[in-house]
Amino acid sequence: MSVKVLGLLGSPRRKGNNELLLDQALSGAQSEGAKVEKMVLNDLDITPCQACGQCLSTGECVIRDDMERIYPELKLAQHLILASPVFFLSLPAQAKLLIDRCQCLWAGRNALPHPERSTQRRGLLILTASGSDLRQFQPLLSTVRAFFATLGITYRGELLFGGLEERGEVLHHPGALERAFEAGAKLVKGEEIGPLLPQTPFYPIGWVRNSYREAPPEGWERTESELVIEPEVEPALDGLEDFSHLIVLFWMHSAKYEGQVKIHPQGRKEMPLVGLLASRSPHRPNPIGMTVVRLLERQGRVLRVRGLDAFDGTPIIDLKPYLSSDEIPDAKRPEWVRGLEKGGIG
Ligand SMILES: Cc1cc2nc3c(=O)[nH]c(=O)nc-3n(C[C@H](O)[C@H](O)[C@H](O)COP(=O)(O)O)c2cc1C
């Protein structure tokens, strides 16, 4: 039996950026055999939650409107996609009405799929905004994550598109529709959808672009990457091109920390068991990467660098020039590190 993917359109604007992206994501899901349905929230009659509290004891909402037929859809759809514009750094009222009315599902959450099965239900968020500062997306993310969690849906990622003001402007945004299609397909296949904006006070100032999705067998030393810096940060790069080396701080978004505090570096049993923080393992509580790279070239807001051990799509947190005071020629290191240093001390 094919799985069902429900797409919620938060924008009141038909054939706008979000509808175009949502249609692509649903087509991607369909290409993987899913049955899809689109709900245009603006066309629905949804009364605002009255906080009457009755659902707290029954798990049922007493208001009679279109939500009566939406609740079963929300419960039964295998996967969910919410596509919405940013309105005043928040969700449009149409989307917020629906989310608030899910209070009864929160109240009756024991009736939702058992937590063990909930990882089978996956959610994708698509957001567009006219401004290009990624910070404006942050306030919505917590709301949407809470909404998905209430439905027992595992949040699998977001596609964020800034700089989209006019209706349909996304058609001229290189690769946007393709990314939405791919994300819809990945949602059904259960694959990683892409970088999650870190739920931390860090805001990416840019993104790593290269062809690496896994570590190259020959090591990172000679690999080249581009650091694509957000347009509003570009002037802050001025002067960096006078340095031969940079320190890149980045968020290792695909690292998986599972509470381990002792590890064998690089997972090699012949290495001594050491404290996690005495290693360079990416799987740490705050997966912050820090690497000194060679700056090859700056072209506007794109820096071409050599030797960065980060995958394509990695969020960049900060860049600093490498100074002579960063060099400590006689620094002490244990024996096992010296053996590993050629390939990085994971
Ligand atoms: C009422 C309203 C509030 C908005 N607030 C913001 C905002 O806070 N930040 C922003 O970058 N864009 C804001 N926008 C612009 C929309 O997010 C942007 O045009 C979006 O791409 C529209 O998507 P759509 O074509 O699917 O409707 C706002 C637009 C409207 C109509």
Side-chain angles (χ1 to χ4, degrees), residues 11 13 16-18 85-89 128-131 136 164-165:
S11 174
R13 191 154 67 167
N17 299 310
N18 285 282
V86 173
F87 277 9
F88 282 91
L89 304 181
T128 74
S130 57
Q136 71 204 310
L164 299 179
E165 173 77 54

Side-chain angles (χ1 to χ4, degrees), residues 9-21 83-90 92 127-133 136-137 161-170:
L9 178 64
S11 174
R13 191 154 67 167
R14 298 307 303 265
K15 298 291 164 222
N17 299 310
N18 285 282
E19 187 163 28
L20 292 167
L21 289 164
S84 176
V86 173
F87 277 9
F88 282 91
L89 304 181
S90 184
L127 293 175
T128 74
S130 57
S132 58
D133 185 343
Q136 71 204 310
F137 294 112
F161 299 98
L164 299 179
E165 173 77 54
E166 303 300 330
R167 185 199 305 266
E169 207 175 337
V170 71

Side-chain angles (χ1 to χ4, degrees), residues 233-254:
V233 184
E234 181 180 341
L237 296 174
D238 291 348
L240 208 54
E241 57 272 65
D242 296 330
F243 293 84
S244 66
H245 290 78
L246 312 178
I247 300 173
V248 183
L249 292 160
F250 51 95
W251 189 263
M252 297 182 283
H253 61 289
S254 50

